[in-house]
Amino acid sequence: MNQIIKLSLVDMKEKDNLENIEVEELDITDSEIVQEILDTIGLGVRRNIKDILYYIIPSLQKEQILDSSNSVIHLRISGDGRNVGRKIKHVMITVMILNYENYHHNPNYYYTIALYPGSEKYDTVKFILDPFIEELRSLKEDGLEIAGILWKFILYFSSDWKFLAICLGLNSANSKYFCPWCLCSKNQIGDLKHGLFNNMTRKVILDEMKRLKVFFQFWENKDSHNWEYTSLVGEDKKKVLEHFNLELLFRPSCATLIRKLWDEFNLLYCALKNKKTNLLEFKNQAKDWLTLFLTPSSGNPNDFKNFTKGLYLPNQITPYMHALVFHGWEFIKKHKQWGVKAFSCSAVEKKNHQQVSTFFRKTFKNGGNLSRKKPAIQEIMEYENRILYFNYNSLPKPNKIKKICIK
Ligand SMILES: [Zn+2]
């Protein structure tokens, strides 16, 4: 298999400067994993996308996922960097064939193109991806001929905000011109603030999370002394969004208002993922939601009886909210065929997490593999090749199946 889809090791030394990297929330803190990653720094590994396509396209045709009478392949490219320890990231770039609709959220159908431990920066990403960029250009311009069929390609890119901004050579979500889709500046929208919890509210939040059976922690960042907390994803986030009892933290009138804000956000979130959502309705619903977010206070602040506290100020609108409200309807319109949900980052994030936690442990590397000291990233790519093989070749069935009758 490693002959069919070749792996190339890339010397990244001096291409990656790890100075001046901001400390972010840590995804992986296991010291054994961190040390293994540090030992592999300076090395990257790549696979050629055309090798992968030559291998899988005939199978996809057999499975009727691809149709030679409509020979268009929709290729999604994604990137993800996972923080390992304080300074290093496990950076991966993947491709996914969107035509494979049942597997939009299955990490095994995201094929890793490049991997390296290091930093998530424009120059580094560009260095390791140079050949890939050339391959993509050729796929887009010339297509790819396999067994007399010329396949055409439509390319998509999706990742979290930070990776997207890096690849576009743009700014990240916390810089002045943050938006990849318009020229809105941060002065016009505001800042992200963290760490507004005291001991009592932290306790209330932890107890409520326990009630909801959601894993959640607070910890103090040793450098900034800010309180950080588990970022919720997937089902946990949904559970908190739908069921967190806000009256534990706010006065009833305020709790009702925030509950309404969260409920309507949930509706928007579901509408965004639904291919059948009406564009105009979504656009209006999103603007109404922003108006609700900006509910002003009313009455006289000195007259407690007649005063109702509002919600948030315009400078508290985050870049993510900006994208949802002003560009969400554009995404739905543009990606009608596969739906916005097809571009969720969760499968790629999951894949990255799995790779790091499995392959960077010494126990794994040495287990039955004492004589061959391969770099972990090479082990990962070889494993990926094996997955590709098993995804497209059903295992031979044993000839005789013994039936056991239990009386
Ligand atoms: Zn914008």
Side-chain angles (χ1 to χ4, degrees), residues 18-80:
L18 295 172
E19 298 302 312
N20 308 320
I21 293 176
E22 52 198 292
V23 179
E24 296 170 44
E25 188 185 324
L26 304 181
D27 299 312
I28 304 267
T29 50
D30 185 316
S31 58
E32 189 187 320
I33 295 178
V34 172
Q35 191 51 49
E36 280 297 304
I37 293 245
L38 280 170
D39 292 347
T40 349
I41 288 247
L43 200 64
V45 62
R46 291 190 355 97
R47 288 195 293 185
N48 187 313
I49 171 123
K50 288 189 181 171
D51 284 351
I52 299 177
L53 292 168
Y54 280 123
Y55 187 73
I56 61 178
I57 285 175
S59 304
L60 292 176
Q61 254 182 294
K62 250 182 246 163
E63 284 183 59
Q64 297 181 330
I65 303 290
L66 295 179
D67 174 6
S68 56
S69 63
N70 175 25
S71 56
V72 180
I73 295 177
H74 297 259
L75 202 65
R76 170 184 162 182
I77 297 123
S78 308
D80 185 57

Side-chain angles (χ1 to χ4, degrees), residues 161 178-184 319 322-323 326-327 330:
W161 194 304
F178 64 91
C179 184
W181 304 283
C182 73
L183 280 173
C184 177
H322 164 87
F326 296 98
H327 306 296
E330 295 172 339

Side-chain angles (χ1 to χ4, degrees), residues 78-79 83 100-101 140 232 387 401 405:
S78 308
N83 294 319
Y100 226 141
E101 216 161 350
K140 194 177 159 131
L232 296 170
I387 291 207
I401 300 172
C405 297

Side-chain angles (χ1 to χ4, degrees), residues 254-382:
C254 200
T256 312
L257 206 54
I258 297 175
R259 173 45 56 210
K260 190 167 182 236
L261 188 73
W262 286 21
D263 287 346
E264 290 191 8
F265 173 79
N266 198 13
L267 289 177
L268 274 180
Y269 174 69
C270 295
L272 187 69
K273 292 193 295 183
N274 185 348
K275 278 194 214 170
K276 292 182 187 128
T277 294
N278 177 296
L279 278 183
L280 195 65
E281 268 173 38
F282 182 87
K283 203 170 165 180
N284 291 332
Q285 209 181 336
K287 294 222 164 121
D288 287 346
W289 179 75
L290 192 64
T291 311
L292 182 65
F293 180 85
L294 296 173
T295 304
S297 301
S298 63
N300 179 353
N302 297 322
D303 178 1
F304 187 71
K305 270 188 194 156
N306 290 316
F307 179 71
T308 319
K309 200 174 174 299
L311 284 175
Y312 302 92
L313 297 170
N315 67 4
Q316 290 168 308
I317 299 174
T318 67
Y320 301 95
M321 292 168 56
H322 164 87
L324 173 70
V325 173
F326 296 98
H327 306 296
W329 66 275
E330 295 172 339
F331 302 148
I332 300 174
K333 186 176 173 191
K334 197 166 179 185
H335 300 297
K336 249 194 155 39
Q337 183 172 9
W338 305 111
V340 176
K341 203 179 167 197
F343 299 96
S344 157
C345 299
S346 63
V348 182
E349 283 167 2
K350 196 168 162 193
K351 187 182 192 82
N352 197 332
H353 189 85
Q354 283 169 349
Q355 287 188 352
V356 173
S357 16
T358 315
F359 286 90
F360 286 97
R361 284 186 197 283
K362 280 203 180 65
T363 39
F364 175 85
K365 283 187 75 188
N366 293 343
N369 225 348
L370 280 168
S371 54
R372 280 190 312 157
K373 252 235 152 197
K374 267 186 210 164
I377 50 171
Q378 190 181 344
E379 300 266 13
I380 295 174
M381 275 304 206
E382 288 179 2

Side-chain angles (χ1 to χ4, degrees), residues 9-263:
L9 292 172
V10 186
D11 183 2
M12 312 263 301
K13 283 195 191 83
E14 289 161 32
K15 290 291 167 197
D16 202 4
N17 176 11
L18 295 172
E19 298 302 312
N20 308 320
I21 293 176
E22 52 198 292
V23 179
E24 296 170 44
E25 188 185 324
L26 304 181
D27 299 312
I28 304 267
T29 50
D30 185 316
S31 58
E32 189 187 320
I33 295 178
V34 172
Q35 191 51 49
E36 280 297 304
I37 293 245
L38 280 170
D39 292 347
T40 349
I41 288 247
L43 200 64
V45 62
R46 291 190 355 97
R47 288 195 293 185
N48 187 313
I49 171 123
K50 288 189 181 171
D51 284 351
I52 299 177
L53 292 168
Y54 280 123
Y55 187 73
I56 61 178
I57 285 175
S59 304
L60 292 176
Q61 254 182 294
K62 250 182 246 163
E63 284 183 59
Q64 297 181 330
I65 303 290
L66 295 179
D67 174 6
S68 56
S69 63
N70 175 25
S71 56
V72 180
I73 295 177
H74 297 259
L75 202 65
R76 170 184 162 182
I77 297 123
S78 308
D80 185 57
R82 193 131 290 254
N83 294 319
V84 183
R86 304 195 76 71
K87 287 200 160 182
I88 314 299
K89 281 176 181 267
H90 179 65
V91 182
M92 69 190 297
I93 290 89
T94 62
V95 296
M96 201 270 157
I97 290 183
L98 286 165
N99 305 55
Y100 226 141
E101 216 161 350
N102 288 343
Y103 293 115
H104 279 177
H105 305 290
N106 184 333
N108 286 343
Y109 289 81
Y110 286 75
Y111 314 115
T112 309
I113 291 296
L115 272 182
Y116 68 88
S119 67
E120 221 178 356
K121 283 193 212 145
Y122 182 82
D123 289 334
T124 319
V125 174
K126 185 172 182 306
F127 174 73
I128 193 158
L129 290 187
D130 251 352
F132 180 57
I133 294 164
E134 188 48 39
E135 285 154 20
L136 287 181
R137 191 200 52 75
S138 126
L139 288 178
K140 194 177 159 131
E141 288 174 8
D142 314 324
L144 187 68
E145 195 184 319
I146 299 176
I149 298 163
L150 182 65
W151 297 94
K152 289 187 205 106
F153 288 84
I154 296 179
L155 307 181
Y156 301 79
F157 182 86
S158 85
S159 70
D160 64 13
W161 194 304
K162 189 174 180 210
F163 206 89
L164 174 65
I166 289 165
C167 292
L168 291 173
L170 267 174
N171 327 279
S172 60
N174 52 15
S175 60
K176 194 179 171 200
Y177 293 98
F178 64 91
C179 184
W181 304 283
C182 73
L183 280 173
C184 177
S185 86
K186 205 162 107 183
N187 299 344
Q188 289 165 288
I189 78 145
D191 213 336
L192 285 162
K193 287 211 171 69
H194 291 298
L196 302 167
F197 304 107
N198 64 29
N199 286 337
M200 214 174 73
T201 49
R202 277 198 299 273
K203 169 97 174 61
V204 172
I205 292 170
L206 289 175
D207 287 347
E208 179 64 357
M209 293 297 191
K210 219 180 257 170
R211 182 185 73 85
L212 296 173
K213 297 195 172 66
V214 168
F215 174 79
F216 188 84
Q217 282 179 318
F218 284 104
W219 65 91
E220 196 178 355
N221 183 317
K222 281 180 194 139
D223 300 313
S224 65
H225 297 286
N226 278 340
W227 281 95
E228 294 178 0
Y229 43 87
T230 315
S231 53
L232 296 170
V233 290
E235 279 307 303
D236 280 354
K237 180 154 66 183
K238 217 165 157 2
K239 224 191 266 177
V240 172
L241 186 67
E242 284 169 9
H243 303 294
F244 193 98
N245 180 3
L246 294 161
E247 294 206 10
L248 297 170
L249 292 171
F250 305 99
R251 281 188 291 127
S253 61
C254 200
T256 312
L257 206 54
I258 297 175
R259 173 45 56 210
K260 190 167 182 236
L261 188 73
W262 286 21
D263 287 346

